[in-house]
Amino acid sequence: MQFFKDLSVSTFTAGFVAVLVGFTSSVAIVFQAAQAFGATPAQITSWIWALGLGMGLCTLVPSLILRKPVMVAWSTPGAAVLATAGLAGGFSMGEAVGAFMVSAALITLAGITGWFERVMNRIPAEIAAALLAGVLARFGLQAFAAAQTALPLVLTMLVVYLVARRWAPRYAVVVTLAAAIVFAAAQGQMVWSAVQLELAMPVFVAPEFSVAALISLAVPLFVVTMASQNLPGVAVIRASGYHLPVSRLLTLTGVATLVLAPFGGFALNFSAITAAMCMGPEAHPDRDRRYTAAVSCGALYVAIGLFGAVITGLLTAFPKELVVAIAGLALLGTIASGLATALRTEAHREAALVTFLVTLSGVVIAGVGSAFWGVVAGSFALFVQQYRNPPVSRG
């Protein structure tokens, strides 16, 4: 099979790091969202089952078919919105499931009609690259900020990374991750007690539909998923040089969410952070072989869904400083590439810089994250600068 010929240690490691970062950085928010609707422990495990299978299959299957990296994740800002609105509104789990299904139907409609892809096609490449750099730069900053609480670990990782980049650049992230795990284990920082031998089982919850849940849950979930997840996700795809059938893939995430919503699959969408890890040069120098990183990531997500508590324990056993540090180091090349593309054209340079800074700020307005407002601010700046001006040659 061609996949096994294309698979390499570096691409599998990129997929593993993507799962490690994507899961451990936000799984607590998912737990909080489930608990906001009064979820039982069995229902919380079912949420992980549904999300793991949804992310895994929507990542693995299209990546194998298209031979291009397709990265799907759960909506972290969506989970945050649900956690807040669920506690405030006192909604039942049935009403939450109904809201998940309405939001999924709206996402499916956005994919079928193609309107979202048409909007993305009008965003200049420099703005998209600045958005990518702004989203990822926060992870780069967190990597070095982790030194405040784990200086020996972070310094060890940085030294190993730089040495590996000098002598074996293709395996720099692999070597760094291995060294970090050995260091953390030697220092007794690995929480092995979190590992529990238990399989995940799906729990069906019948949907209930109410106007209050539609307004307070479904609409905000749809808006933040599209603005804070799908928008930067497509920006990563474009900035990485891949041409994917965005509308069809968006429809896939919507349909998958509809099917999995009764089991806790609240929102599936394009990934941004983890996509950059699997689509960047750190995964593999050959762009045509990076799809194996996405397939590896998808397979690991499926394992998380099936083996729920076991995989959750393994991933959460890592020190949080290790997770943020390996994420930042793995994204350095992609951040640099995004900045280079964003600033390459003088006519778009200032607007791209505005996009980058607003996105990097992390500002949240009306419950919508900085990725959306970065694009709005950059596009407005570009409009003001170029309104009724003759086209400027690129270069």
Side-chain angles (χ1 to χ4, degrees):
M1 185 178 177
Q2 186 62 40
F3 166 76
F4 293 105
K5 294 180 180 179
D6 292 338
L7 183 65
S8 66
V9 174
S10 63
T11 54
F12 179 81
T13 302
F16 175 77
V17 171
V19 173
L20 175 65
V21 172
F23 190 85
T24 59
S25 64
S26 58
V27 68
I29 301 175
V30 174
F31 287 169
Q32 290 174 357
Q35 290 169 345
F37 302 110
T40 64
Q43 288 175 330
I44 293 176
T45 301
S46 179
W47 279 44
I48 300 301
W49 177 89
L51 292 168
L53 260 62
M55 293 187 296
L57 294 176
C58 289
T59 296
L60 187 156
V61 176
S63 296
L64 275 177
I65 294 174
L66 299 173
R67 295 280 179 86
K68 296 177 181 178
V70 176
M71 295 291 290
V72 172
W74 63 47
S75 175
T76 300
V81 167
L82 292 174
T84 303
L87 286 174
F91 298 103
S92 68
M93 183 62 74
E95 288 178 303
V97 168
F100 302 165
M101 297 182 73
V102 171
S103 174
L106 293 174
I107 292 174
T108 303
L109 183 62
I112 293 175
T113 59
W115 70 263
F116 179 71
E117 186 171 7
R118 288 195 293 272
V119 170
M120 290 301 303
N121 288 338
R122 298 183 65 86
I123 298 177
E126 291 82 358
I127 299 294
L131 171 65
L132 169 64
V135 170
L136 302 185
R138 277 181 285 168
F139 281 77
L141 292 173
Q142 290 172 10
F144 297 102
Q148 292 181 339
T149 54
L151 181 60
L153 173 63
V154 174
L155 280 180
T156 299
M157 294 176 68
L158 179 60
V159 171
V160 171
Y161 176 81
L162 293 175
V163 172
R165 283 289 296 172
R166 174 68 176 84
W167 300 106
R170 181 174 169 181
Y171 302 103
V173 176
V174 181
V175 175
T176 304
L177 178 60
I181 293 174
V182 171
F183 183 92
Q187 297 294 314
Q189 297 175 351
M190 301 293 289
V191 188
W192 299 118
S193 59
V195 181
Q196 299 177 7
L197 297 177
E198 182 182 346
L199 293 176
M201 295 296 292
V203 177
F204 179 84
V205 175
E208 300 175 15
F209 300 95
S210 68
V211 175
L214 171 66
I215 296 174
S216 300
L217 299 178
V219 173
L221 178 61
F222 169 72
V223 171
V224 299
T225 298
M226 296 299 292
S228 299
Q229 292 285 151
N230 282 323
L231 190 150
V234 175
V236 171
I237 294 171
R238 301 283 169 81
S240 300
Y242 288 101
H243 300 284
L244 296 174
V246 170
S247 293
R248 281 186 288 166
L249 293 173
L250 185 65
T251 302
L252 173 65
T253 64
V255 172
T257 303
L258 267 173
V259 172
L260 294 169
F263 305 98
F266 61 90
L268 300 174
N269 46 248
F270 292 121
S271 168
I273 307 299
T274 55
M277 295 175 180
C278 293
M279 294 181 180
E282 300 291 347
H284 200 281
D286 186 351
R287 187 189 305 274
D288 293 333
R289 294 179 63 180
R290 294 174 194 166
Y291 79 96
T292 59
V295 173
S296 301
C297 177
L300 290 170
Y301 273 136
V302 170
I304 286 177
L306 295 177
F307 297 97
V310 180
I311 305 299
T312 299
L314 286 172
L315 294 180
T316 54
F318 292 99
K320 63 178 182 180
E321 291 87 356
L322 186 156
V323 174
V324 298
I326 196 65
L329 294 174
L331 291 169
L332 286 180
T334 307
I335 295 171
S337 177
L339 285 173
T341 301
L343 303 178
R344 68 184 177 185
T345 306
E346 186 175 356
H348 294 163
R349 189 167 299 159
E350 190 167 355
L353 186 59
V354 169
T355 301
F356 171 74
L357 293 175
V358 173
T359 304
L360 180 60
S361 72
V363 63
V364 177
I365 301 174
V368 179
S370 62
F372 174 79
W373 299 116
V375 173
V376 170
S379 300
F380 179 73
L382 190 62
F383 172 79
V384 172
Q385 291 174 335
Q386 299 190 357
Y387 181 65
R388 290 189 175 177
N389 283 348
V392 179
S393 60
R394 300 170 68 91

